[in-house]
């Protein structure tokens, strides 16, 4: 009888848990624009928790005029930055956005609030919303 109650309780708790987000962010590092400039950067790791690839088409934030996906590349021995139309994270895999590679460009800060919010979209569907406090973000 006790075993039945334990199993029923565990099943009820599992049914009450919130579904896991299809994406998880690790190691978010937001670097606001330096004085005299209008662009900051954000680096992070996106982890796909699903069995299907997820393609990020754009990122928004109420804290910036625009957030753009970018990639630094070396062309003819010269470092260049180019915009990315999309960013695909393979099923069960992760993509690291880091200095010298893929990253988010943060254009025109709209506030200096202590919280920064990012929303990641696959098409018109938001797949992840994350907020971080600036007192925990490296500048």
């Amino acid at each position: 009888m006790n075993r039945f109650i334990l199993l029923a309780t565990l099943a009820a708790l599992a049914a009450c848990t919130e579904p896991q987000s299809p994406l998880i962010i690790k190691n978010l590092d937001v670097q606001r624009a330096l004085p005299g400039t209008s662009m900051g950067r954000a680096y992070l790791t996106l982890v796909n928790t699903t069995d299907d690839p997820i393609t990020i088409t754009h990122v928004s934030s109420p804290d910036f005029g625009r957030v753009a996906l970018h990639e630094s590349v070396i062309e003819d021995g010269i470092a260049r930055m180019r915009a990315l139309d999309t960013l695909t994270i393979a099923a069960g895999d992760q993509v690291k956005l880091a200095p010298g590679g893929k990253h988010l460009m943060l254009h025109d800060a709209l506030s200096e609030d202590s919280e920064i919010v990012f929303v990641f979209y696959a098409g018109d569907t938001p797949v992840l919303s994350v907020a971080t406090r600036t007192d925990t973000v490296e500048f």
Side-chain angles (χ1 to χ4, degrees):
M1 186 73 162
N2 288 340
R3 185 174 185 200
F4 173 75
I5 292 171
L6 176 61
L7 291 175
T9 302
L10 290 174
L13 287 173
C16 293
T17 61
E18 196 172 302
Q20 185 176 6
S21 171
L23 283 178
I24 296 173
I25 285 186
K26 295 199 269 184
N27 306 319
L28 178 58
D29 175 12
V30 177
Q31 298 180 358
R32 289 191 184 263
L34 296 172
T37 67
S38 63
M39 290 190 290
R41 300 169 307 281
Y43 306 112
L44 56 124
T45 300
L46 288 167
V47 181
N48 181 347
T49 64
T50 72
D51 294 330
D52 297 306
I54 296 175
T55 298
I56 301 300
T57 55
H58 63 286
V59 180
S60 69
S61 174
D63 303 296
F64 300 94
R66 186 166 65 95
V67 177
L69 294 163
H70 273 81
E71 180 175 36
S72 297
V73 294
I74 304 293
E75 293 176 347
D76 299 322
I78 299 171
R80 301 187 191 278
M81 204 171 15
R82 66 178 180 196
L84 295 174
D85 293 328
T86 61
L87 177 67
T88 300
I89 305 100
D93 204 357
Q94 63 183 15
V95 172
K96 187 173 185 175
L97 282 69
K102 294 174 178 67
H103 56 279
L104 298 178
M105 290 300 301
L106 311 174
H107 299 265
D108 305 316
L110 300 175
S111 72
E112 293 295 324
D113 290 341
S114 63
E115 184 174 82
I116 297 172
V117 175
F118 293 105
V119 181
F120 293 77
Y121 291 85
D124 294 329
T125 305
V127 291
L128 175 65
S129 179
V130 63
T132 187
R133 295 191 54 80
T134 56
D135 57 357
T136 62
V137 177
E138 297 177 25
F139 288 97

